[in-house]
Amino acid sequence: MVKRAIILVPGYRKMEQRAARDQLVGAIQDYSEGFEVRHAGDAAVAEESEVTVLTARDLADAREVELHVMEAYWNDLVPDWSNEAPLRRFWRATWLLFYWLWPGGLLLSILKGKGISRLSACALAGAGFLLFLWYLSVLIVLLEAFANSNLTNSAEIDAVLGSHAEGFRAMAATSLSCLSSFAPYVILVMLIGLGKLNAFADFAAYTRAYLRDDPTKLGDSGLRAKTRSRVKDVLNEVSDPDAGFDEIFVVAHSLGGPVAMDALAEYGSALRRTTFFTWGTGIGALSIQEPIVRAEIAKFYTSETRLNSWIDIVFQHDLVASIVPVPKGQKRAFPPPLRLSSPRGAIWNPADMHERYYRSEDAIRPLLLPAPPPAFPPTE
């Protein structure tokens, strides 16, 4: 019987440890047409352990595979910005707008229609607009606070600015009068929900911090290094010869894609028996924004030890997903991206669409099938 490790690297969500793993285990049991899947032990005990063991029997040829499903948990590293002061949010929004729209060429790629699909470009443009609204809402809060204060009539202003005090008051009055023109945007923010805009801004901020390897506090390691090490810890366990695994499947969803990619890029000889599955990741868009992402992808084509295979799965209308590109100067080695038809009705609910990979037969069934042939056959 083949012994296979399945390591799930979840996406960006605040969740309890093992919650995403249990979701994957349930999906393997419920979306496994042609297979009989059962727990190899006590299911209740498995929920409390780090590893859930399943046995899958192919109903066509009675072939069996033992699946050890585990999770590379990193979601506790997501910073909590809910109590951030308005002024801090204002400056963070400023840097986010600058980062996502200028340095990496993402905006230019959207305008040219290159590198990402038109649908993804529209999604990014819409997300940028939402981020602008969030930015604007913070600015409105600051201006309202300024308007309700006694700062403009303060005697200290006259003492500090002297002859420029009247000009300062005039500028302040003009700025405050603009609040009335912001009313439609405030209404739109209320309709969309400030919580959703904040959640999007937090995701954008975390992605930037991850790509730049920023620390969450002074003297700490960077987010990218800390997150990547979580995946490597699990890889070290399953790649140990004493663990006895014949195959290693790494399944990465959403932002878990670049996290797992970083860990696997130069992992070593265990890559020969490792197959990488990416579900709805934004690696394509991120590779336009950051050279480090392009460099990591290139390692899978040029490193001394090569990954067995990389299966990229994307729903056609998943607004936050983009396919993994082939590095410049290289020929495609891994199978072409698997573009799945969008589930009926899910296109109107982008958040639900992005979670549908856990409920897709086309995404789940490859985890039960034999490992695909090597993308880079060993040379004699």
Side-chain angles (χ1 to χ4, degrees):
M1 181 187 299
V2 173
K3 185 178 180 181
R4 178 183 301 159
I6 298 180
I7 303 173
L8 173 65
V9 184
Y12 175 93
R13 280 191 302 167
K14 278 287 189 180
M15 64 182 81
E16 296 294 327
Q17 190 170 6
R18 297 191 293 272
R21 183 211 62 182
D22 293 342
Q23 185 178 5
L24 179 59
V25 168
I28 292 174
Q29 292 177 294
D30 297 334
Y31 296 92
S32 53
E33 184 178 353
F35 286 84
E36 178 190 359
V37 180
R38 61 185 185 277
H39 277 275
D42 190 329
V45 174
E47 289 184 1
E48 299 300 323
S49 64
E50 297 296 328
V51 181
T52 297
V53 182
L54 303 172
T55 300
R57 184 172 68 89
D58 193 328
L59 297 179
D61 58 13
R63 177 187 56 86
E64 290 192 347
V65 58
E66 186 176 272
L67 309 174
H68 293 244
V69 187
M70 60 201 77
E71 175 187 28
Y73 183 70
W74 60 273
N75 304 85
D76 57 322
L77 299 177
V78 176
D80 183 6
W81 286 301
S82 59
N83 297 320
E84 195 172 47
L87 185 60
R88 177 62 181 166
R89 281 188 174 271
F90 176 82
W91 287 116
R92 186 156 65 90
T94 302
W95 283 112
L96 282 176
L97 288 171
F98 176 77
Y99 174 76
W100 287 109
L101 298 181
W102 179 254
L106 189 56
L107 178 61
L108 185 61
S109 297
I110 292 175
L111 295 176
K112 290 183 177 181
K114 295 181 178 180
I116 54 178
S117 67
R118 291 181 179 179
L119 184 63
S120 295
C122 291
L124 287 169
F129 178 67
L130 291 181
L131 184 57
F132 171 76
L133 289 181
W134 178 77
Y135 176 92
L136 194 59
S137 69
V138 175
L139 180 61
I140 291 172
V141 171
L142 292 175
L143 289 175
E144 286 180 340
F146 183 75
N148 294 328
S149 70
N150 295 322
L151 181 59
T152 55
N153 298 319
S154 174
E156 285 79 2
I157 293 295
D158 293 319
V160 173
L161 298 181
S163 60
H164 299 289
E166 289 302 321
F168 172 79
R169 290 192 178 95
M171 181 181 67
T174 301
S175 300
L176 295 176
S177 67
C178 292
L179 281 172
S180 59
S181 64
F182 292 154
Y185 297 105
V186 176
I187 294 173
L188 185 56
V189 168
M190 293 174 63
L191 290 175
I192 297 174
L194 187 57
K196 292 182 179 179
L197 297 182
N198 283 336
F200 169 75
D202 289 346
F203 173 77
Y206 180 86
T207 305
R208 176 192 179 277
Y210 175 84
L211 293 173
R212 293 299 179 94
D213 199 28
D214 293 338
T216 54
K217 59 184 178 180
L218 188 64
D220 201 3
S221 299
L223 270 176
R224 183 164 169 257
K226 292 175 67 175
T227 309
R228 178 177 54 198
S229 68
R230 296 288 185 88
V231 181
K232 284 189 172 182
D233 287 344
V234 183
L235 283 171
N236 290 338
E237 292 179 10
V238 301
S239 61
D240 190 318
D242 293 337
F245 288 107
D246 304 296
E247 301 167 348
I248 301 171
F249 283 8
V250 177
V251 183
H253 174 240
S254 189
L255 192 58
V259 172
M261 182 182 69
D262 283 345
L264 289 169
E266 292 181 294
Y267 189 66
S269 60
L271 290 178
R272 296 191 184 96
R273 51 194 169 105
T274 301
T275 301
F276 189 23
F277 294 85
T278 44
W279 291 352
T281 70
I283 290 177
L286 296 180
S287 67
I288 298 173
Q289 179 68 15
E290 279 288 352
I292 185 64
V293 179
R294 297 194 294 272
E296 293 298 285
I297 297 172
K299 289 178 181 177
F300 289 93
Y301 285 77
T302 59
S303 62
E304 184 176 349
T305 55
R306 307 292 180 85
L307 188 70
N308 178 69
S309 191
W310 186 341
I311 311 298
D312 189 30
I313 301 177
V314 177
F315 281 125
Q316 291 182 356
H317 297 99
D318 187 350
L319 298 181
V320 296
S322 54
I323 63 174
V324 177
V326 177
K328 187 176 181 180
Q330 299 287 341
K331 295 182 179 180
R332 177 174 295 281
F334 303 113
L338 181 59
R339 298 175 182 268
L340 304 181
S341 299
S342 301
R344 185 181 298 273
I347 190 173
W348 305 112
N349 189 342
D352 179 64
M353 166 80 77
H354 198 54
E355 295 299 318
R356 284 292 187 101
Y357 298 92
Y358 288 94
R359 307 198 301 274
S360 168
E361 193 88 39
D362 292 322
I364 296 297
R365 198 165 183 273
L367 304 183
L368 304 176
L369 297 173
F376 298 91
T379 57
E380 296 296 338

